[in-house]
Amino acid sequence: MDQDGAFAPTLTTARRVRPEHLGSAAFRRDHRVRYAYVAGSMFKATASQDMVVRMARAGLLAYFGTGGLRPERVESVIRALDATLGADRSYGMNLLSSPGSPRKEEDLVDLLLARRVRRVEAAAFIRMSPALVRYRITGLTRTPDGRVHIPHKVLGKVSRPETAEAYLSPPPEGVVRDLLRAGRVTAEEAELAARVPMADDLCVEADSGGHTDQRPLITLLPDMAALRDRVAAERFAGAAAVRVGVAGGIGTPEAVAAAFMLNADFVLTGSINQCTVEAGTSDAAKDMLQQAGVQDTAIVPAGDMLEIGAKAQVLRKGLLFPTRANKLYELTLRLNSLDELDDRTARQIQDKYFHRTFDEVWHETAEHLARTDPDQLAAAERDPKLRMILTFKWYFVHSARLAMSGAPEQRVDYQIPCGPSLGALNSLLRGTPRENWRARHVDDLAELLMDGAARLWQRRLEETAARHHDAVPEGTIL
């Protein structure tokens, strides 16, 4: 056993390796799940209510994809999940960073606290926002033995060490003071905040679908684990309790086994779950995903962060979206307004990409901003470059809607987040009853990957033990 009770096999072990032995026992215990395995959130309920229910009923953890949804839709899902599963069942909701619109974060945290949601998957945070800090420290209390009870669990998704360090550390003191001064947290919560890290679990994102820095798992995971240990030794002992898992490239038993061999405390899947019955995207998108190989993805600008050049990974096979998305980003770098477009390019974008005029796109965008972000609308009316960027961003939103709805028109413009892990899974399932996505269920994939990884561990242990035995000189007493 390792220090928290996780399985640590040796050459002499007689214990059969099982899926429940892989990863952190503390993870399984804290989340009350069978395996150290998570189905991660995906934008606009692609990680759907059905997916969360199916996983929870199988004794596994999943996070609902709140990104891009209105608060009232999220609330209706929470109510439905509580009614279906019971409020104490293990599931969570995504909390997506919105630095340009902090009100979105605040409104969602208000809802999560009001509805007693105990787990969030925090994604795309560069720094710890007031809303995320408030979620984390609300309800902190002292236990009779002097420890701190933390009712709200945070899984932080990271790909950079500076963000990881923020999750490994206590909430920023200045943010806590501001929350206390505003009456958003109590004096006891503010005092106890200094004793808890921002996260319970740190999910290291390697070569993932959607937002990605394309870091290789084999270097990123050990580096983040070493960072956790350094922070615990040098700055904050509480960081030692933070579990470090991995996402990105997790689509086969071999990938799962490799992650646990690198001492991952848990694994998180995303891309492969899009191609299941439970995924909340269209049948047309799933049909495309089912045909993907490991080589059929592309890197594009992330539409929600177009102005800063963040990247995302999407399906490429049979689609023009990747080429068109990169073209729009290149134009934002060169031009200061739509008026600087040459006539040929302007016609191409309006006729081929948008299927409507720039004026029509701006009218729709302005109506949306008037409801959700009037300050940004006012800024865009003054700044032609910002107006151009927001007009181009419309295409990214529209392309995601096309894929989610399965609209037959403009199929080449579907934006489908996807990493190469799905191609690896498709290859594994080719010629089996699960080749067609209509026979794939999210919990079945979890069983397939975890059981397969355990079998691989067992086989390698037996092969290594046999080689070790064969290498011992005759007559040696063991």
Side-chain angles (χ1 to χ4, degrees):
M1 295 284 182
D2 67 12
Q3 63 180 359
D4 71 359
F7 185 65
T10 68
L11 291 180
T12 57
T13 185
R15 184 179 180 184
R16 174 65 58 176
V17 182
R18 301 186 184 280
E20 58 268 26
H21 299 152
L22 301 175
S24 167
F27 181 93
R28 299 191 299 274
R29 184 172 58 250
D30 285 359
H31 294 293
R32 294 176 296 164
V33 291
R34 294 189 297 122
Y35 301 155
Y37 180 102
V38 181
S41 71
M42 291 177 283
F43 191 73
K44 278 190 174 290
T46 300
S48 66
Q49 179 180 321
D50 288 345
M51 187 177 291
V52 171
V53 168
R54 181 100 184 189
M55 287 289 283
R57 285 176 170 167
L60 301 169
L61 179 60
Y63 290 88
F64 176 80
T66 65
L69 301 182
R70 294 180 182 275
E72 54 267 28
R73 167 77 190 283
V74 177
E75 182 172 13
S76 70
V77 169
I78 296 171
R79 289 181 181 274
L81 289 172
D82 286 348
T84 303
L85 300 173
D88 62 337
R89 291 293 287 270
S90 295
Y91 74 86
M93 310 296 282
N94 174 232
L95 177 59
L96 188 63
S97 174
S98 300
S101 184
R103 188 68 252 168
K104 289 182 181 179
E105 289 182 37
E106 295 289 349
D107 289 346
L108 183 54
V109 166
D110 286 343
L111 173 60
L112 297 175
L113 293 174
R115 296 301 310 170
R116 300 176 184 268
V117 173
R118 298 304 188 189
R119 292 170 185 81
V120 300
E121 179 205 79
F125 284 88
I126 297 173
R127 57 184 58 86
M128 303 298 97
S129 71
L132 179 57
V133 170
R134 180 161 63 92
Y135 177 83
R136 178 61 168 169
I137 69 176
T138 294
L140 294 181
T141 56
R142 290 180 177 85
T143 63
D145 60 1
R147 294 180 298 164
V148 180
H149 171 62
I150 310 171
H152 298 118
K153 299 183 185 299
V154 173
L155 182 151
K157 298 177 86 170
V158 301
S159 59
R160 297 171 180 266
E162 60 270 23
T163 309
E165 189 165 350
Y167 279 113
L168 293 166
S169 303
E173 292 181 5
V175 174
V176 174
R177 280 197 304 270
D178 290 345
L179 289 170
L180 177 61
R181 191 178 300 118
R184 308 306 303 274
V185 298
T186 67
E188 182 181 28
E189 290 164 349
E191 178 188 348
L192 295 177
R195 295 174 55 187
V196 302
M198 273 299 300
D200 305 276
D201 302 295
L202 203 62
C203 182
V204 178
E205 289 194 280
D207 190 19
S208 57
H211 292 93
T212 183
D213 285 330
Q214 286 197 293
R215 303 285 191 262
L217 178 153
I218 200 168
T219 55
L220 189 61
L221 177 57
D223 186 65
M224 291 291 191
L227 173 64
R228 185 262 318 273
D229 295 342
R230 286 198 302 274
V231 172
E234 298 171 5
R235 293 184 48 246
F236 180 55
V242 178
R243 297 171 291 258
V244 179
V246 68
I250 307 296
T252 62
E254 290 82 0
V256 173
F260 286 126
M261 183 62 74
L262 289 168
N263 289 324
D265 288 316
F266 62 93
V267 295
L268 183 147
T269 57
S271 295
I272 66 170
N273 301 325
Q274 283 190 105
C275 206
T276 63
V277 172
E278 292 76 31
T281 192
S282 66
D283 289 1
K286 294 177 189 180
D287 288 339
M288 289 185 173
L289 288 164
Q290 182 184 303
Q291 303 302 318
V294 295
Q295 74 283 4
D296 290 324
T297 62
I299 298 299
V300 299
D304 56 337
M305 293 184 278
L306 190 63
E307 56 269 61
I308 64 173
K311 300 297 183 184
Q313 189 164 203
V314 299
L315 185 67
R316 177 180 61 185
K317 187 175 184 178
L319 299 171
L320 294 178
F321 169 78
T323 300
R324 291 174 172 178
N326 280 302
K327 175 67 174 179
L328 291 176
Y329 177 61
E330 182 266 331
L331 291 172
T332 67
L333 298 178
R334 288 197 297 109
L335 306 180
N336 291 310
S337 75
L338 290 172
D339 293 336
E340 295 182 11
L341 283 169
D342 62 85
D343 290 343
R344 180 176 176 277
T345 302
R347 284 196 306 274
Q348 180 188 45
I349 293 172
Q350 293 173 96
D351 296 344
K352 301 293 186 183
Y353 297 22
F354 293 180
H355 290 255
R356 61 201 72 190
T357 67
F358 288 142
D359 286 342
E360 289 171 329
V361 168
W362 180 246
H363 178 73
E364 183 179 330
T365 301
E367 281 192 338
H368 173 73
L369 291 175
R371 295 191 306 271
T372 62
D373 198 343
D375 290 342
Q376 188 174 47
L377 175 60
E381 298 287 7
R382 298 189 300 268
D383 182 352
K385 184 167 183 107
L386 178 57
R387 176 168 172 163
M388 176 184 67
I389 290 171
L390 292 172
T391 300
F392 289 168
K393 278 188 170 188
W394 174 92
Y395 174 71
F396 291 82
V397 174
H398 182 61
S399 62
R401 287 177 183 154
L402 291 171
M404 292 289 292
S405 67
E409 71 278 4
Q410 287 186 261
R411 184 164 293 196
V412 294
D413 288 300
Y414 282 10
Q415 179 186 176
I416 308 175
C418 183
S421 60
L422 178 60
L425 178 68
N426 287 338
S427 179
L428 176 69
L429 298 181
R430 193 166 294 122
T432 75
R434 292 193 183 99
E435 179 173 0
N436 191 299
W437 65 262
R438 292 166 179 82
R440 299 183 193 180
H441 295 280
V442 63
D443 58 325
D444 292 339
L445 294 185
E447 294 285 355
L448 175 72
L449 268 57
M450 292 294 288
D451 184 66
R455 290 175 184 272
L456 283 169
W457 270 69
Q458 186 70 42
R459 189 184 314 146
R460 293 296 180 264
L461 286 171
E462 292 171 353
E463 291 172 350
T464 303
R467 286 196 296 269
H468 176 74
H469 182 270
D470 292 343
V472 175
E474 186 176 348
T476 300
I477 298 176
L478 297 177

